[in-house]
Amino acid sequence: EASAVEALPLPEGPTEIIATDYAIGQDNIEGRRLVAFDIHNPVFMISAVAVVIFTVATLLFPATLGPFFAGLRDVVTSRFDWFFLIAGNVFVLLSLGLILSPLGSVRLGGPEATPDFSLTGWFSMLFAAGMGIGLMFYGVSEPLGHFTAALDGPVVENGARTDWAPLAGAAGDELAARRLAMAATIFHWGLHPWAIYAVVALALALFAYNKGLPLTLRSVFYPLLGERVWGWPGHVIDVMAVMATLFGLATSLGIGAEQASAGFGFLFGWNATDTSKTVLIVLITAVATGSVVLGVEKGVKRLSEINMVMAIVLLLFVVLAGPTWQILSGFFANLGAYGAHILPLSNPFGREDDNFRQGWTAFYWAWWISWSPFVGMFIARVSRGRTVRQFLVAVLIVPSLISVLWMTAMGGTAISLTLEGFSGISDAVLELQLFQMLSQLPLTAITSFVGIILVIVFFITSSDSGSLVIDTIAAGGKVDAPMPQRIFWCSFEGLVAIALLLGGGLTALQAMAVSTGLPFTIVLLGACWAIVKGLIGERRELA
């Protein structure tokens, strides 16, 4: 029975175990009424009730809540853009500093721990969970949108800029506009988002596998709160983590449904209506639930590896069928542009590109942060046995380089086609732009269908791994709670996505991502301090 209470492995070798009287699951309510359950009462009940109320209200009053969501998104991104940008910079600097410092030699799980997964399986899972749907949705549309705005240059009305160009734009200069557009895109998909994920994952892995605490966000704050972390301060942290994760996932699921539905319309002439998107979410949520039932090893891992292979095949096809030399040379040129522009793009003060900074960067940072409990805990679950340096290089550097290649291939091809006179990509709605780009390459029907399948499988891997994470938090840190709870959370992710889609579309999805990301940013900044303190303790233990 002991193994059913705590499935986390003990540290291997000397580590700084935190002595606490708290036992995982001690505050849980267990039983079997209609189904088996094992829930952390305050966290599960508050989160579940809040989600149910929100979902019902959004479905009942879509006309009223639609404008509210739009206003909420704009207020959060316009008033707190500086805060999001500063926090993002802190996460990058901490991650790079740990890679270079002696603290990077600390091994997650203890000095004698060995990795639970092969390098290929590990990397496939973390990449599929962390970026999938976003890369498919924005891979073409974002570089092209930034390029068009930069090429047009600043537009000033009534003394304020109304354009969406990054920084000062590059009016009339096609090469400079291309470089600036790719630098801005890579900025949003490179070091900063992966540093956000890395901070959460490292904090969770360190305090669970080295310190012997439950695998929940509250454990990270033990150095700051002490035993109070098991009371209401900890409950609040975990509820915030559940809500941020749920709405961050719902945003991505809604975006995935928009794009998959548009793809089916592009290929087969189906109408992309709210009904079709709802049916799509229901069907994919059902498949994700099946994957959750199978668990990490059989479900999530296999789907992630399949997805990785399909994504690589699509990427290679675009590289070979598109402007190959321009893509390959552009990869290095775009990295150079990213290096040249990263400091001004990271600067939170004294800028005039309000639309770009608030509508793109602040939204993205809030979205990544709302995703971070889910992606971070999932990465922590599969990263035991790696050193901090290995972990950060793999989580920070390698996915960033792949994101650069993806954006260079997809976005660069779209920009080249547009400059050659094809206006179909820029004229299409966001969710159709990938398919319009593929329509100008050979084997359009096949590649578009592969694109739709990729969106759907990314959808599934995000939903099932997110459900595992939410369930762990809501079960007080138990990693093997009863299956009905995982099914409950997986089902409600789909319901929340449907409610937001019907109650305000993409704007509503974005509004909930940024509004839950804001308070959680404060939590992550506190986690940075806890990581350094915890790693220093590990080094002291080895001395």
Side-chain angles (χ1 to χ4, degrees):
E1 286 297 316
S3 63
V5 174
E6 171 56 294
L8 283 177
L10 295 172
E12 299 179 40
T15 61
E16 187 191 45
I17 295 287
I18 291 178
T20 174
D21 294 331
Y22 183 83
I24 294 177
Q26 72 176 34
D27 296 327
N28 283 21
I29 299 174
E30 298 181 57
R32 177 183 289 275
R33 301 272 169 81
L34 294 174
V35 294
F37 59 90
D38 187 352
I39 58 175
H40 189 286
N41 186 24
V43 174
F44 182 92
M45 294 307 296
I46 293 172
S47 304
V49 169
V51 169
V52 171
I53 291 173
F54 173 85
T55 305
V56 171
T58 307
L59 289 172
L60 288 178
F61 308 107
T64 305
L65 291 176
F68 168 76
F69 287 134
L72 180 64
R73 182 195 62 182
D74 294 343
V75 166
V76 173
T77 54
S78 63
R79 295 189 181 178
F80 296 96
D81 57 318
W82 60 271
F83 179 61
F84 285 122
L85 265 71
I86 289 173
N89 295 339
V90 169
F91 303 142
V92 171
L93 292 174
L94 173 66
S95 299
L96 295 177
L98 290 177
I99 289 173
L100 299 173
S101 81
L103 297 177
S105 63
V106 172
R107 188 173 295 276
L108 300 173
E112 298 169 16
T114 55
D116 294 333
F117 297 97
S118 69
L119 200 61
T120 304
W122 176 51
F123 179 69
S124 297
M125 284 190 285
L126 73 89
F127 192 79
M131 283 293 170
I133 289 173
L135 282 178
M136 295 299 295
F137 193 86
Y138 290 107
V140 168
S141 60
E142 184 175 350
L144 182 59
H146 293 334
F147 170 76
T148 304
L151 189 62
D152 291 342
V155 177
V156 179
E157 295 179 7
N158 299 322
R161 278 181 58 176
T162 57
D163 62 279
W164 285 78
L167 301 177
D173 188 334
E174 289 182 359
L175 181 61
R178 180 190 283 262
R179 293 288 171 260
L180 179 58
M182 294 309 302
T185 303
I186 295 165
F187 175 62
H188 291 151
W189 295 87
L191 294 177
H192 281 76
W194 284 100
I196 292 168
Y197 295 156
V199 164
V200 179
L202 179 57
L204 287 164
L206 178 66
F207 282 90
Y209 296 133
N210 293 62
K211 311 294 187 184
L213 297 180
L215 188 64
T216 65
L217 264 295
R218 70 172 73 203
S219 298
V220 175
F221 290 85
Y222 193 93
L224 185 65
L225 298 172
E227 290 294 317
R228 287 177 297 166
V229 82
W230 313 123
W232 276 104
H235 300 341
V236 170
I237 291 169
D238 278 353
V239 168
M240 286 171 61
V242 169
M243 301 303 288
T245 303
L246 197 73
F247 286 115
L249 273 170
T251 302
S252 299
L253 300 187
I255 285 174
E258 293 261 14
Q259 190 171 28
S261 185
F264 281 124
F266 175 79
L267 268 186
F268 306 114
W270 301 348
N271 289 328
T273 63
D274 284 344
T275 303
S276 68
K277 295 170 191 173
T278 300
V279 170
L280 200 57
I281 292 175
V282 170
L283 291 175
I284 296 173
T285 300
V287 177
T289 303
S291 179
V292 162
V293 172
L294 289 173
V296 172
E297 187 67 39
K298 292 181 180 178
V300 181
K301 179 171 175 284
R302 287 179 184 172
L303 278 174
S304 298
E305 290 175 340
I306 292 169
N307 228 26
M308 199 68 181
V309 171
M310 290 177 62
I312 291 171
V313 168
L314 182 63
L315 177 62
L316 288 175
F317 172 81
V318 173
V319 170
L320 294 174
T324 306
W325 172 246
Q326 197 170 68
I327 291 171
L328 295 178
S329 61
F331 174 79
F332 298 101
N334 293 338
L335 273 177
Y338 175 48
H341 288 98
I342 188 171
L343 291 181
L345 287 169
S346 304
N347 174 30
F349 302 113
R351 290 167 58 176
E352 296 179 354
D353 55 346
D354 287 354
N355 282 342
F356 171 81
R357 191 179 69 257
Q358 296 167 3
W360 280 104
T361 305
F363 162 66
Y364 267 138
W365 277 204
W367 188 16
W368 303 145
I369 288 167
S370 72
W371 259 53
S372 66
F374 139 55
V375 180
M377 187 175 291
F378 185 72
I379 294 174
R381 286 275 297 271
V382 298
S383 299
R384 184 178 172 275
R386 310 282 175 186
T387 67
V388 169
R389 188 171 292 113
Q390 291 169 345
F391 173 87
L392 288 172
V393 168
V395 175
L396 197 66
I397 307 299
V398 177
S400 294
L401 290 175
I402 291 183
S403 295
V404 174
L405 181 57
W406 184 278
M407 292 299 185
T408 299
M410 302 295 175
T413 300
I415 291 171
S416 297
L417 289 168
T418 301
L419 289 175
E420 290 168 7
F422 179 64
S423 61
I425 307 172
S426 54
D427 291 343
V429 292
L430 288 183
E431 55 266 27
L432 262 180
Q433 290 188 353
L434 168 67
F435 303 107
Q436 286 290 345
M437 185 271 286
L438 292 174
S439 75
Q440 299 304 296
L441 303 178
L443 306 175
T444 299
I446 296 173
T447 55
S448 295
F449 188 69
V450 169
I452 295 169
I453 298 302
L454 267 173
V455 170
I456 289 173
V457 182
F458 274 133
F459 196 143
I460 294 166
T461 54
S462 297
S463 182
D464 58 14
S465 49
S467 302
L468 292 170
V469 166
I470 293 175
D471 184 46
T472 298
I473 300 173
K478 289 189 177 182
V479 296
D480 53 355
M483 189 59 62
Q485 291 170 214
R486 296 181 188 179
I487 294 171
F488 169 83
W489 289 115
C490 197
S491 303
F492 263 88
E493 282 165 31
L495 285 173
V496 170
I498 291 169
L500 287 169
L501 209 55
L502 298 179
L506 196 57
T507 301
L509 294 161
Q510 292 174 343
M512 293 316 299
V514 298
S515 59
T516 51
L518 178 61
F520 206 73
T521 307
I522 301 168
V523 173
L524 296 200
L525 290 170
C528 292
W529 176 83
I531 286 171
V532 175
K533 185 174 174 61
L535 288 174
I536 290 172
E538 292 300 299
R539 289 278 299 178
R540 193 165 52 236
E541 195 68 32
L542 289 171

